[in-house]
Amino acid sequence: MEQALFSPPLSKQRVEFAVQHILESHATNLLDFGCGSGSLLEALLNYSTSLEKIAGVDISQKGLTRAAK
């Protein structure tokens, strides 16, 4: 089995980076352009932040369908 190139994985680093900046800025709204299947937005729901509204936008209907589930 191949070893991961990044430790922690980039997806986890991305979530931690976003949470850090949300907390520092006391953001209440977040819009993710190019959200794909919504994995970042879904991960953010597991953190206690100041966010009140989150939304995702993507041009891929298939990705948005997966995100809606």
Side-chain angles (χ1 to χ4, degrees):
M1 179 174 252
E2 290 184 34
Q3 188 173 5
L5 295 175
F6 299 95
S7 182
L10 285 178
S11 58
K12 183 172 175 67
Q13 290 181 42
R14 179 176 66 149
V15 171
E16 291 172 353
F17 180 85
V19 169
Q20 176 186 348
H21 287 279
I22 292 165
L23 293 174
E24 288 175 0
S25 68
H26 305 286
T28 56
N29 300 304
L30 180 104
L31 179 57
D32 182 3
F33 286 100
C35 68
S37 63
S39 60
L40 173 61
L41 300 177
E42 183 178 12
L44 290 174
L45 294 175
N46 296 317
Y47 290 84
S48 178
T49 67
S50 54
L51 291 176
E52 297 173 8
K53 295 179 185 179
I54 62 171
V57 176
D58 201 284
I59 62 170
S60 169
Q61 184 61 45
K62 188 182 286 186
L64 291 174
T65 300
R66 282 190 300 241
K69 292 179 182 181

